[in-house]
């Protein structure tokens, strides 16, 4: 009798877990479908249908950590990060939709292209991994990682457009980038214009 009761309880538990898994799967599919609809309606114009980006002016979102992307969308909406164009785009997004978009883009394949200027990239590689002891510049890799893949809190930089990275570094230095500025300003304030474009060029080919 005890074995029968135990077996029934185990079966019930298994069924509950199974239903929960199906529910989570259905929710994930619904979130992805919603994300695709938003991308197809708005995001693709600048960022591409799969986050590949249509221009070096706009960042590649493919392969980016979903937590980082969702945070940036929220910062654009709250005004913590300033962008007239992005403020309009995210105005109606809910937190759930921001997460769904982040997860959608994270799953997309990252484009890998060699750096256009190998000599400049070589300088950037040294700065990224070693920093500059003469100016006190810390190695970028100490935060963003040796492979420049970042973390859930820090952006993936590998494979990003050089022009976009260089522009962000300049904005951090001028404090025109209004979120995540405190730490990055302390770093880029020690970088020369050459070091900025060199690091950007190196990262574009990672």
């Amino acid at each position: 009798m005890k074995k029968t009761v135990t077996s029934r309880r185990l079966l019930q538990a298994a069924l509950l877990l199974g239903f929960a898994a199906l529910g989570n799967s259905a929710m994930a599919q619904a979130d992805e479908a919603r994300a695709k609809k938003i991308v197809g309606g708005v995001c693709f114009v600048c960022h591409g249908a799969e986050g590949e980006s249509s221009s070096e002016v706009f960042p590649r979102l493919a392969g980016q950590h979903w937590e980082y992307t969702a945070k940036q969308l929220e910062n654009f909406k709250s005004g913590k990060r300033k962008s007239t164009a992005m403020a309009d785009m995210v105005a109606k997004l809910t937190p759930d939709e921001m997460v769904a978009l982040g997860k959608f883009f994270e799953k997309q394949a990252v484009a890998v292209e060699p750096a256009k200027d190998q000599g400049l990239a070589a300088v950037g590689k040294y700065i990224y991994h070693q920093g500059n002891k003469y100016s006190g510049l810390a190695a970028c890799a100490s935060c963003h990682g040796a492979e420049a893949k970042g973390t859930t809190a820090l952006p993936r930089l590998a494979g990003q457009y050089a022009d976009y990275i260089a522009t962000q570094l300049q904005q951090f230095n001028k404090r025109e980038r209004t979120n995540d500025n405190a730490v990055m300003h302390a770093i880029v304030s020690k970088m020369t214009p050459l070091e900025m474009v060199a690091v950007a060029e190196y990262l574009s080919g990672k």
Side-chain angles (χ1 to χ4, degrees), residues 60-110:
R60 285 174 166 155
L61 301 179
Q64 188 59 267
H65 300 287
W66 73 261
E67 296 94 336
Y68 182 79
T69 297
K71 178 195 172 188
Q72 298 308 307
L73 291 172
E74 188 282 325
N75 284 180
F76 280 127
K77 185 171 183 175
S78 68
K80 191 172 183 180
R81 182 173 176 180
K82 304 295 184 183
S83 170
T84 303
M86 282 302 299
D88 292 339
M89 297 299 174
V90 303
K92 296 182 180 180
L93 289 181
T94 66
D96 286 346
E97 289 172 335
M98 294 178 187
V99 170
L101 285 168
K103 289 185 176 180
F104 170 77
F105 284 122
E106 184 180 55
K107 290 168 58 177
Q108 306 310 310
V110 181

Side-chain angles (χ1 to χ4, degrees), residues 92-144:
K92 296 182 180 180
L93 289 181
T94 66
D96 286 346
E97 289 172 335
M98 294 178 187
V99 170
L101 285 168
K103 289 185 176 180
F104 170 77
F105 284 122
E106 184 180 55
K107 290 168 58 177
Q108 306 310 310
V110 181
V112 179
E113 300 173 3
K116 296 175 182 177
D117 187 328
Q118 293 297 320
L120 188 61
V123 175
K125 180 178 181 179
Y126 181 87
I127 297 299
Y128 183 86
H129 291 283
Q130 306 297 328
N132 184 340
K133 65 180 181 180
Y134 298 104
S135 64
L137 174 65
C140 311
S142 61
C143 289
H144 291 280

Side-chain angles (χ1 to χ4, degrees), residues 65 114 121 178 185 197:
H65 300 287
T178 49
H185 176 74
V197 296

